[in-house]
Amino acid sequence: EVQLVESGGGLVQPGGSLRLSCAASGFTFSSYEMNWVRQAPGKGLEWVSYISSSGSTIYYADSVKGRFTISRDNAKNSLYLQMNSLRAEDTAVYYCAREVAAAGIDYWGQGTLVTVSS
Amino acid sequence: VIWMTQSPSLLSASTGDRVIISCRMSQGISSYLAWYQQKPGKAPELLIYAASTLQSGVPSRFSGSGSGTDFTLTISCLQSEDFATYYCQQYYSFPQTFGQGTKVEIK
């Protein structure tokens, strides 16, 4: 069974940092592209970042470029999102999501809540 | 950036109704479009990918159509478990983008 389990969310002050982790199991992690997608309270879905299966290709949304860094450790079946210079508008549930080439996101984690507030 | 217009934002319907949700792109994306269902407090679930391919395990009352710039999600006979919010997503180019969402509520 495919499982994606996020951790690392919490309350942080504006300007602070957090590192999110996503532990993957039930599939060959190193074969899949991965994404982070977020959802602000009561709002819609917003794509945040993408990383290819090898980690060699990375993309970011303009809203997080220069502040967030996506990475992965295929030996540990883990995906990460380092978030720096956090702003109130980064407050959201952050989902780890598996992508299948030409087929969209087929599995999502349960999400981890990040709250940026003083 | 590819902009998406999803409509309607709110749809009131009854069980047994046929409902149609639309998604229009600012430029052509071939068939690189997915539809997701999200229920309160839960992660989204994939319904349709490649514009019209039903994800495994999804009931056949869900269908998708379109290519290029105009796409639709149809629920042929609305069931009680279908009351939820639906999102379209283009994965043709980065940044990937989602529609604004359509909440399907009980009439």
Side-chain angles (χ1 to χ4, degrees):
Chain A
E1 179 194 4
V2 172
Q3 285 200 320
L4 299 169
V5 180
E6 301 95 336
S7 60
L11 175 63
V12 62
Q13 292 188 340
S17 298
L18 273 181
R19 189 194 197 207
L20 305 184
S21 299
C22 172
S25 60
F27 65 102
T28 304
F29 180 71
S30 59
S31 297
Y32 286 85
E33 304 156 29
M34 299 295 295
N35 292 271
W36 288 98
V37 177
R38 69 185 180 183
Q39 186 168 36
K43 302 297 185 183
L45 300 169
E46 180 188 14
W47 172 81
V48 172
S49 185
Y50 159 97
I51 187 167
S52 62
S53 56
S54 67
S56 60
T57 301
I58 285 172
Y59 295 100
Y60 297 100
D62 284 347
S63 57
V64 306
K65 200 173 296 181
R67 302 186 299 122
F68 290 12
T69 302
I70 191 172
S71 62
R72 65 191 297 161
D73 185 334
N74 286 342
K76 294 183 177 179
N77 293 334
S78 294
L79 176 72
Y80 306 101
L81 186 68
Q82 177 67 41
M83 304 186 296
N84 299 330
S85 303
L86 283 161
R87 307 166 179 167
E89 54 265 37
D90 296 318
T91 294
V93 173
Y94 284 74
Y95 294 103
C96 165
R98 187 182 88 165
E99 181 169 339
V100 177
I105 292 173
D106 65 343
Y107 282 96
W108 302 66
Q110 85 289 350
T112 187
L113 176 63
V114 172
T115 303
V116 184
S117 175
S118 54
Chain B
V1 179
I2 297 176
W3 300 105
M4 309 172 69
T5 302
Q6 185 176 341
S7 61
S9 56
L10 178 64
L11 194 159
S12 297
S14 303
T15 54
D17 284 353
R18 176 185 176 94
V19 302
I20 298 174
I21 299 169
S22 171
C23 205
R24 175 165 288 179
M25 308 297 139
S26 60
Q27 62 188 78
I29 63 165
S30 183
S31 296
Y32 290 88
L33 186 103
W35 290 96
Y36 301 91
Q37 178 193 69
Q38 187 179 34
K39 295 181 178 179
K42 300 293 187 181
E45 294 186 359
L46 178 64
L47 298 174
I48 303 279
Y49 63 91
S52 60
T53 303
L54 198 65
Q55 172 71 346
S56 175
V58 174
S60 58
R61 61 181 180 273
F62 291 93
S63 64
S65 65
S67 68
T69 60
D70 292 299
F71 301 85
T72 57
L73 172 70
T74 301
I75 310 173
S76 60
C77 183
L78 201 65
Q79 302 298 301
S80 57
E81 60 266 32
D82 301 336
F83 291 98
T85 300
Y86 295 84
Y87 294 94
C88 55
Q89 178 217 15
Q90 69 81 16
Y91 50 94
Y92 176 78
S93 68
F94 289 96
Q96 296 185 18
T97 43
F98 289 90
Q100 301 91 326
T102 295
K103 183 178 181 179
V104 177
E105 66 170 21
I106 301 172
K107 193 174 193 177

